[in-house]
Amino acid sequence: MCGIVGYIGKNQTSPILMDGLARLSYRGYDSAGVAIIDDKGKINVRKAKGRLENLEALLSEQPLYGHIGIGHTRWATHGEPSDLNAHPHTDVKGGIAVVHNGIIENHESLRRHLISTGAIFVSQTDTEVIAHLLNHLYDGDMKRALIRAMGMIEGSYALGIVCDQEPDVLYCARHDSPLVIGSKNGEGFIASDIPALLSHTRDVIFLQDKEIGVLDQHGISIFDAYGKSKEHAIFHVDWDLSSAEKGGYAHYMLKEIHEQPVALQRTFTPRFLENPHDYHWLPLTHDEIKGLRKISIVACGTAYHAGMIGKYAIERIARIPVEADIASEYRYRAPIIGEDELFIAVSQSGETADTLAALREAKRRGARVIALCNVVGSTITREVGDENTLYTYAGPEIAVASTKAYTTQAEMMLMLAIAFAEIRGELPKEKTTALIEELSQLPKKAEIALRSESKLQKFANTAAQKKHVFFIGRGLDYALSMEAALKLKEVSYIFSEAYAAGELKHGPIALLQEGRLVVATLTQPELVDKMLSNLREVSARGARILVVCSESLVRKVQDQVDEVIIIPDTHPLFAPLLAVIPLQLFAYCMAVERGCDVDKPRNLAKSVTVE
């Protein structure tokens, strides 16, 4: 969610912190700040509400110099966006500065205790509690104070800390919020995500839960919650900074939409390059798969919609009961899950707090747990282990609104459905082979689907000022409609909602009127006649209709709607992976036409690391 950076070394800190914050700005934020220790050992803080440009302007007027510091981009949870609530936060004397991602759940009780000891709070944030608590516990050894503080804090946190009594040491710690550490040529770096470090080093350490990192002139030292020294593996990042840059596109979102054919290929090829029927890539044994009684797919937002695709596909061809659950609700409904049941956690970032909590609940109840994720070394993948993780290989996704992560997640779900179906004897080998061959053609067909961009730009020019948009579909097309509606509301701020087309007459049709825009998806041949009946109902109320349609079905629908976007024919199970591309482009074009900040939608964050 928020962005943390920290630096210690021989160079001036301010430019390094600002560069790192800029590379983390895709995560979403509403204020930013830095704290730097100058050569006299004093901590100086600069903070500004709004975009990084505001902080840059402040630093231009009031520059900071020094060789150690921390920086932060904040996404408001406690207290409104403001200069005072922006991080870093300091204690009363200004001798300790803290940046923090996460939520301190017992901040109110800690605040009351600290006020009784003389602490004076100036912000509404939970983070300021940490600065005052460290000051209260400090006895000349920040590591010892931090260990004691971690024992008192409840909740999630990633912390960066500097102290004027130890001006040559950068401290960090984490619990349930990601933090990475890097070093090169005597310099040390901390960050909440890898892109902030890549211009300096590709070798990083992923700090584990309840661990402390100490960076000084001697290098990096890692300690557990009891102060015991720990060894840590170095992870080498095999993608470079250019992978996370725009590459000539106007926005990251557009670039990532156009990267989907490659992402689909990268996710498919390693699994089916040799013998496509041995399923060496599955985290489960054949006996485990044959014995499955139920599957739960749990995720948030776009990942949940990919899980819905998985539910439809696995039930249809593998004949295993599947529940797709919203992670934020999962723990609170006393889920029934246990042995011989599979829990699949789906997360682009691998840091989604609600999904992580649901995963832990499923493990506690005895379920077989695996993860589907795009980020190697993330918290969820470490929780289950690489051997139980299915990586999607979409590459870094910078735009807040997910596109290529969704298609590769949905593709992975389809691959699981095929594998489970053959292993359980629900699909004969020849039909499985045909499905795998069709799946291998999707990258080429996705290239064709991208050609709809110019047509959608023209359509958006006439439709961008609509205040409400309906998305409708049946079967897999309904699952896809939910993702399409989310994408439009995320980036264009148009109120959009998805409905199963058969449910229109049970209430939503009351909202249809002259000129209302309805976006329909039509890719499931067995549901065409039912869907055409629904489109007639929509048209009769004067609504304007845009249809995304498989090529073989165009003649049935083109005379009944206002605009048709054609995608190549494929097996109906795979059609959502092609149909989503013009729907993503539709959302993008509508947002651009409305002048929205496409890559950084208001109030949204890329990686939601708080519940």
Side-chain angles (χ1 to χ4, degrees), residues 259-554:
E259 287 175 339
Q260 287 176 117
V262 173
L264 289 168
Q265 187 69 55
R266 291 181 63 188
T267 300
F268 173 85
T269 300
R271 276 89 186 194
F272 294 103
L273 184 60
E274 297 176 0
N275 179 4
H277 299 280
D278 69 2
Y279 303 114
H280 60 281
W281 47 272
L282 286 172
L284 295 86
T285 67
H286 286 208
D287 286 342
E288 284 180 313
I289 292 167
K290 290 175 182 176
L292 288 177
R293 293 188 295 110
K294 189 184 80 171
I295 297 173
S296 295
I297 303 172
V298 180
C300 299
T302 286
Y304 167 70
H305 298 152
M308 288 294 294
I309 298 292
K311 170 183 169 62
Y312 277 85
I314 294 171
E315 287 191 337
R316 182 180 296 187
I317 65 173
R319 308 307 297 159
I320 307 171
V322 180
E323 290 184 0
D325 267 296
I326 297 171
S328 59
E329 291 291 319
Y330 184 78
R331 285 181 298 156
Y332 305 110
R333 63 172 184 81
I336 301 172
I337 190 168
E339 294 183 2
D340 299 328
E341 298 183 23
L342 177 64
F343 178 100
I344 306 176
V346 188
S347 170
Q348 182 273 327
S349 67
E351 304 293 350
T352 312
D354 287 314
T355 306
L356 180 60
L359 183 155
R360 289 170 175 166
E361 177 68 12
K363 284 176 70 174
R364 189 182 70 81
R365 292 176 179 265
R368 179 71 166 88
V369 175
I370 66 173
L372 201 163
C373 186
N374 190 45
V375 181
V376 177
S378 58
T379 302
I380 287 175
T381 67
R382 295 199 303 272
E383 190 87 11
V384 302
D386 281 344
E387 70 278 6
N388 290 311
T389 301
L390 294 164
Y391 288 106
T392 51
Y393 307 129
E397 190 177 65
I398 304 303
V400 168
S402 180
T403 52
K404 62 179 180 175
Y406 168 82
T407 49
T408 52
Q409 286 168 349
E411 179 186 32
M412 197 73 247
M413 287 294 176
L414 295 167
M415 291 161 61
L416 283 176
I418 293 168
F420 290 174
E422 182 173 14
I423 291 168
R424 290 169 65 93
E426 298 291 343
L427 272 184
K429 187 172 183 178
E430 60 273 16
K431 287 189 177 180
T432 306
T433 300
L435 284 175
I436 294 171
E437 174 58 28
E438 185 62 34
L439 197 59
S440 73
Q441 299 302 310
L442 285 182
K444 293 180 182 177
K445 293 182 178 183
E447 292 278 5
I448 298 171
L450 284 167
R451 298 173 189 170
S452 61
E453 183 178 346
S454 59
K455 192 172 185 179
L456 286 164
Q457 285 175 337
K458 293 177 182 177
F459 187 87
N461 183 257
T462 65
Q465 299 313 311
K466 296 287 184 183
K467 294 181 179 180
H468 310 92
V469 178
F470 283 10
F471 289 80
I472 60 173
R474 285 178 175 263
L476 280 165
D477 287 339
Y478 169 53
L480 176 59
S481 292
M482 289 191 286
E483 171 59 14
L486 175 64
K487 213 53 53 197
L488 182 65
K489 70 181 68 161
E490 281 181 320
V491 298
S492 74
Y493 317 140
I494 296 172
F495 184 86
S496 53
E497 203 59 62
Y499 296 102
E503 285 295 295
L504 282 175
K505 62 179 69 70
H506 297 288
I509 201 167
L511 297 174
L512 290 182
Q513 59 190 47
E514 189 75 28
R516 181 80 77 215
L517 178 57
V518 175
V519 180
T521 311
L522 192 62
T523 68
Q524 305 297 302
E526 73 276 15
L527 296 171
V528 168
D529 290 338
K530 297 289 186 183
M531 191 66 189
L532 289 176
S533 175
N534 298 134
L535 291 179
R536 292 187 190 101
E537 294 170 346
V538 170
S539 180
R541 273 76 185 176
R544 188 181 181 193
I545 304 173
L546 167 68
V547 168
V548 177
C549 181
S550 295
E551 188 172 6
S552 59
L553 303 176
V554 170

Side-chain angles (χ1 to χ4, degrees), residues 151-169:
M152 300 171 68
I153 291 170
E154 297 173 8
S156 61
Y157 53 83
L159 303 173
I161 302 160
V162 291
C163 173
D164 63 3
Q165 298 301 303
E166 302 177 41
D168 298 317
V169 188

